[in-house]
């Protein structure tokens, strides 16, 4: 028993496992960031006035969300070379994961933007705010409170989803642990070490997510208070102007 624990500790402290964990984090961060960058425009285009844009976005979301990520990964890795496009495994992984993530992020952003009532937007415009200012000062602070929890969950899910890229020989944490286990047949110890890394990373992410949720909640409350003060001031000014006219 003690020898097994020592082997697990040895795997956890090894440079190969540490490098594999860093590669997993790199894949997760890049794919999630690109998914966020792609998801917001998709969310806005989903409600675009031009029907062809709405149809195109709807088709993309339907195709990406309706097929397994593993199928997409193998398809891109094996089919693109037939068209003369050869990408390294790492770039194929980031491409597929980020496109898949953007489809889910689009729905998350739509839910967040839809949570802000139309009346608040109209009230902000009545106070003289531009569309960009309404989006930045009224909509996004409130939408962030709705978006952050599922966004954090998506990132945690992405951290675990990166394990599938081992099928195209991208050296991330799971592939490193499989190779270490195959070399000396210590499958329990090697996979246990990988599990420790995954649990440690997801625990850190859950803590960060909790802090971000609290921050977004405080910011949303401050924005609501500021809007209430602006509305009260505007009502007072209007009443004073009416009194002077009389």
């Amino acid at each position: 028993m003690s020898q097994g624990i020592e082997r697990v500790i040895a795997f956890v402290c090894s440079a190969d496992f540490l490098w594999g964990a860093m590669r997993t984090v790199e894949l997760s961060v890049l794919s999630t960031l690109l998914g966020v960058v792609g998801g917001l425009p998709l969310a806005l285009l989903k409600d675009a006035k031009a029907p062809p844009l709405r149809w195109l976005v709807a088709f993309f979301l339907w195709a990406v969300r309706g097929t397994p990520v593993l199928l997409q990964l193998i398809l891109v890795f094996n089919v693109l070379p037939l068209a003369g496009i050869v990408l390294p495994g790492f770039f194929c992984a980031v491409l597929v994961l980020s496109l898949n993530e953007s489809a889910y992020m689009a729905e998350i952003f739509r839910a967040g933007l839809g949570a802000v009532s139309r009346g608040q937007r109209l009230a902000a415009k009545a106070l003289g705010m531009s569309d960009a200012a309404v989006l930045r000062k009224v909509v996004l602070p409130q939408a962030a409170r709705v978006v952050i929890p599922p966004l954090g969950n998506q990132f945690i899910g992405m951290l675990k989803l990166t394990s599938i890229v081992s099928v195209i020989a991208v050296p991330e944490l799971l592939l490193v642990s499989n190779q270490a286990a195959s070399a000396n047949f210590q499958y329990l110890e090697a996979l246990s070490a990988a599990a420790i890394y995954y649990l440690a990373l997801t625990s850190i992410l859950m803590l960060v997510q909790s802090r971000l949720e609290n921050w977004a909640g405080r910011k949303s409350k401050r924005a609501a208070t500021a809007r209430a003060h602006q509305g009260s001031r505007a009502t007072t000014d209007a009443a004073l102007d009416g009194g002077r006219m009389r």
Side-chain angles (χ1 to χ4, degrees), residues 157-202:
M158 176 62 69
L159 185 74
K160 296 179 289 186
L161 187 63
T162 55
S163 60
I164 69 168
V165 305
S166 60
V167 300
I168 59 172
V170 175
E172 45 71 59
L173 183 57
L174 184 61
L175 182 62
V176 169
S177 63
N178 272 329
Q179 290 174 341
S182 300
N184 48 32
F185 300 101
Q186 296 175 358
Y187 287 95
L188 178 60
E189 293 86 349
L191 295 177
S192 296
I196 290 172
Y197 268 107
Y198 280 119
L199 288 171
L201 291 172
T202 53

Side-chain angles (χ1 to χ4, degrees), residues 76-137:
V76 169
F77 187 71
N78 291 321
V79 172
L80 285 183
L82 299 179
I85 304 174
V86 180
L87 296 176
F90 182 82
F91 288 103
C92 282
V94 171
L95 175 64
V96 171
L97 293 176
S98 60
L99 287 177
N100 196 273
E101 190 72 3
S102 66
Y104 288 92
M105 286 294 179
E107 296 301 331
I108 292 173
F109 282 128
R110 284 191 70 215
L113 295 174
V116 182
S117 66
R118 188 168 179 269
Q120 294 189 48
R121 306 182 194 206
L122 293 176
K125 288 184 179 180
L127 294 174
M129 299 174 68
S130 64
D131 290 339
V134 171
L135 182 65
R136 187 177 70 255
K137 296 182 178 180

Side-chain angles (χ1 to χ4, degrees), residues 34-48 51-69 72 96-111 154:
L34 292 174
V36 170
V37 171
L40 184 56
L42 288 174
L44 297 175
L45 290 174
K46 187 75 181 293
D47 298 323
L53 287 177
R54 294 201 306 268
W55 298 337
L56 185 62
V57 172
F59 175 79
F60 172 79
L61 298 179
W62 169 75
V64 172
R65 296 177 63 191
T67 54
V69 183
Q72 299 168 17
V96 171
L97 293 176
S98 60
L99 287 177
N100 196 273
E101 190 72 3
S102 66
Y104 288 92
M105 286 294 179
E107 296 301 331
I108 292 173
F109 282 128
R110 284 191 70 215
Q154 283 294 116

